[in-house]
Amino acid sequence: DTGVSQNPRHKITKRGQNVTFRCDPISEHNRLYWYRQTLGQGPEFLTYFQNEAQLEKSRLLSDRFSAERPKGSFSTLEIQRTEQGDSAMYLCASSTDFGNEQYFGPGTRLTVT
Amino acid sequence: DQQVKQNSPSLSVQEGRISILNCDYTNSMFDYFLWYKKYPAEGPTFLISISSIKDKNEDGRFTVFLNKSAKHLSLHIVPSQPGDSAVYFCAASTFNDYKLSFGAGTTVTVRA
């Protein structure tokens, strides 16, 4: 399977702990995106990478959030000092440089207790 | 602010009949529109798209219609099948932008 993969699929953590998620995009895709989805809503854009460069961050991405894509391949999203409001599905997507179609992974469901 | 709106949270349709899903947008800069389908515990799957230079795009049982003057698009599924039961998201972007703006989704249930 050469689709977008995300790990872990589920994460339960206590408030105040740090968590890190990983995304492996489709291998030939240079663009990588992170979105967050809460219950009853559509995905909301968080941040975007063109190769290893992070080109945009949403206002939703507070200082507690950081994302990296060190070699232009996989990406990590870290949340420090988690809060209950961080509970959501975190989705990763990738695309080519020329297509508007983004291909999503299965997501990481975060529950902060 | 919600720039893409799906005002019908749910739709129930009989197998074999047509499903029509609607989507409205407020940002006149949007010029590319997509529909995604999502099953529980999976990520959204790309279904069909349309650029603003067209008013219709068809792919098998799925057709998307775009009315730019009304800032409205719709997805038609004909005939509806049980496997079409899922949440459908409308999304939009500008041509040179990379982030998608999504609606809240419409849950489609196809009854046997």
Side-chain angles (χ1 to χ4, degrees):
Chain A
D1 185 14
T2 57
V4 178
S5 62
Q6 292 187 246
N7 287 289
R9 295 291 306 275
H10 304 275
K11 179 71 178 178
I12 300 173
T13 191
K14 292 186 177 179
R15 185 164 51 95
Q17 298 295 304
N18 299 343
V19 294
T20 300
F21 311 139
R22 175 176 170 131
C23 170
D24 288 88
I26 294 171
S27 59
E28 61 267 26
H29 286 183
N30 291 330
R31 296 184 175 182
L32 186 146
Y33 316 79
W34 286 97
Y35 291 81
R36 181 173 70 186
Q37 184 180 16
T38 53
L39 197 62
Q41 300 297 317
E44 295 175 288
F45 171 79
L46 292 179
T47 190
Y48 155 70
F49 288 86
Q50 174 77 40
N51 298 309
E52 66 274 10
Q54 187 175 20
L55 297 185
E56 184 173 345
K57 295 196 299 185
S58 161
R59 292 170 300 172
L60 292 174
L61 219 62
S62 75
D63 291 345
R64 297 184 296 105
F65 288 71
S66 63
E68 295 183 341
R69 194 182 182 197
K71 295 183 179 179
S73 57
F74 73 91
S75 175
T76 57
L77 177 68
E78 181 183 17
I79 309 174
Q80 296 182 328
R81 305 181 304 281
T82 52
E83 301 173 357
Q84 286 188 321
D86 298 331
S87 294
M89 175 74 82
Y90 290 84
L91 293 162
C92 176
S94 68
S95 74
T96 64
D97 289 341
F98 306 106
N100 288 67
E101 292 83 12
Q102 297 179 17
Y103 296 88
F104 284 80
T108 295
R109 179 165 295 285
L110 172 66
T111 303
V112 181
T113 61
Chain B
D1 61 335
Q2 193 78 4
Q3 299 184 77
V4 179
K5 299 180 181 179
Q6 294 177 257
N7 292 320
S8 297
S10 63
L11 172 70
S12 180
V13 63
Q14 194 164 11
E15 183 179 0
R17 305 295 285 266
I18 184 171
S19 294
I20 300 176
L21 292 79
N22 294 305
C23 177
D24 297 293
Y25 60 96
T26 56
N27 188 343
S28 58
M29 299 299 292
F30 286 148
D31 55 11
Y32 201 82
F33 305 89
L34 308 90
W35 286 93
Y36 284 84
K37 175 180 178 179
K38 186 180 183 303
Y39 293 119
E42 295 184 11
T45 301
F46 170 71
L47 200 55
I48 192 169
S49 61
I50 188 168
S51 72
S52 59
I53 62 173
K54 295 185 176 182
D55 54 17
K56 177 182 174 181
N57 189 25
E58 192 171 355
D59 184 0
R61 297 185 298 114
F62 303 93
T63 303
V64 56
F65 295 92
L66 176 62
N67 182 335
K68 291 187 292 294
S69 61
K71 294 192 180 69
H72 177 84
L73 64 155
S74 62
L75 175 68
H76 292 207
I77 307 173
V78 183
S80 299
Q81 299 175 352
D84 296 332
S85 295
V87 179
Y88 289 79
F89 291 100
C90 172
S93 71
T94 59
F95 184 72
N96 288 325
D97 200 354
Y98 22 75
K99 55 183 177 287
L100 297 178
S101 296
F102 283 85
T106 297
T107 300
V108 172
T109 303
V110 180
R111 309 185 311 271

